Short mmCIF file of all heavy atoms in Angstrom, two decimals:
data_model
loop_
_atom_site.label_atom_id
_atom_site.label_comp_id
_atom_site.label_asym_id
_atom_site.label_seq_id
_atom_site.Cartn_x
_atom_site.Cartn_y
_atom_site.Cartn_z
N ARG N 957 5.05 24.56 5.92
CA ARG N 957 5.28 24.89 4.54
C ARG N 957 6.51 25.77 4.43
O ARG N 957 6.75 26.70 5.20
CB ARG N 957 4.11 25.62 3.98
CG ARG N 957 4.21 25.92 2.45
CD ARG N 957 3.20 26.90 1.96
NE ARG N 957 3.49 28.18 2.68
CZ ARG N 957 2.66 29.19 2.68
NH1 ARG N 957 1.44 29.06 2.20
NH2 ARG N 957 2.96 30.30 3.30
N GLY N 959 8.64 28.41 2.16
CA GLY N 959 8.51 29.33 0.97
C GLY N 959 7.03 29.45 0.52
O GLY N 959 6.10 29.22 1.23
N LYS N 960 6.95 29.86 -0.74
CA LYS N 960 5.63 30.09 -1.29
C LYS N 960 5.14 28.92 -2.02
O LYS N 960 5.92 28.14 -2.66
CB LYS N 960 5.70 31.24 -2.31
CG LYS N 960 5.86 32.62 -1.62
CD LYS N 960 4.98 33.58 -2.41
CE LYS N 960 4.92 34.90 -1.63
NZ LYS N 960 3.55 35.28 -1.51
N ALA N 1007 -6.73 29.08 -0.52
CA ALA N 1007 -6.38 30.44 -0.01
C ALA N 1007 -5.33 30.31 1.11
O ALA N 1007 -4.36 31.10 1.12
CB ALA N 1007 -7.59 31.17 0.48
N LEU N 1008 -5.48 29.32 2.00
CA LEU N 1008 -4.49 29.15 3.05
C LEU N 1008 -3.10 28.74 2.46
O LEU N 1008 -2.09 29.30 2.89
CB LEU N 1008 -4.94 28.14 4.06
CG LEU N 1008 -6.00 28.58 5.04
CD1 LEU N 1008 -6.53 27.42 5.81
CD2 LEU N 1008 -5.44 29.58 6.01
N LEU N 1009 -3.13 27.83 1.57
CA LEU N 1009 -1.80 27.26 1.01
C LEU N 1009 -1.11 28.37 0.16
O LEU N 1009 0.10 28.43 0.18
CB LEU N 1009 -2.08 26.05 0.18
CG LEU N 1009 -2.45 24.79 0.93
CD1 LEU N 1009 -2.85 23.69 -0.01
CD2 LEU N 1009 -1.31 24.35 1.83
N LEU N 1010 -1.87 29.16 -0.54
CA LEU N 1010 -1.24 30.21 -1.41
C LEU N 1010 -1.02 31.50 -0.64
O LEU N 1010 -0.40 32.40 -1.22
CB LEU N 1010 -2.13 30.43 -2.61
CG LEU N 1010 -2.23 29.31 -3.59
CD1 LEU N 1010 -3.19 29.59 -4.69
CD2 LEU N 1010 -0.87 28.91 -4.20
N GLY N 1011 -1.44 31.63 0.59
CA GLY N 1011 -1.24 32.85 1.40
C GLY N 1011 0.21 33.06 1.78
O GLY N 1011 1.07 32.23 1.51
N ASP N 1012 0.44 34.17 2.41
CA ASP N 1012 1.82 34.58 2.82
C ASP N 1012 2.18 34.14 4.20
O ASP N 1012 3.27 34.48 4.69
CB ASP N 1012 1.94 36.07 2.73
CG ASP N 1012 1.92 36.58 1.27
OD1 ASP N 1012 2.33 35.80 0.42
OD2 ASP N 1012 1.50 37.74 1.01
N ASP N 1013 1.33 33.45 4.89
CA ASP N 1013 1.62 33.05 6.31
C ASP N 1013 2.82 32.10 6.34
O ASP N 1013 2.82 31.02 5.74
CB ASP N 1013 0.39 32.34 6.87
CG ASP N 1013 0.51 32.11 8.35
OD1 ASP N 1013 1.61 32.36 8.91
OD2 ASP N 1013 -0.44 31.59 8.98
N LYS N 1014 3.86 32.50 7.02
CA LYS N 1014 5.11 31.68 7.13
C LYS N 1014 4.98 30.63 8.21
O LYS N 1014 5.78 29.71 8.26
CB LYS N 1014 6.28 32.60 7.39
CG LYS N 1014 6.55 33.47 6.19
CD LYS N 1014 7.77 34.31 6.36
CE LYS N 1014 7.95 35.17 5.16
NZ LYS N 1014 9.00 36.09 5.25
N GLU N 1015 4.01 30.68 9.10
CA GLU N 1015 3.83 29.73 10.20
C GLU N 1015 2.71 28.78 9.87
O GLU N 1015 2.02 28.32 10.78
CB GLU N 1015 3.59 30.51 11.46
CG GLU N 1015 4.75 31.33 11.95
CD GLU N 1015 5.95 30.54 12.33
OE1 GLU N 1015 5.81 29.53 12.98
OE2 GLU N 1015 7.06 30.85 11.90
#
Side-chain angles (χ1 to χ4, degrees):
R957 184 193 64 197
K960 287 218 170 233
L1008 284 170
L1009 289 173
L1010 293 173
D1012 290 332
D1013 189 354
K1014 294 183 179 176
E1015 295 295 315

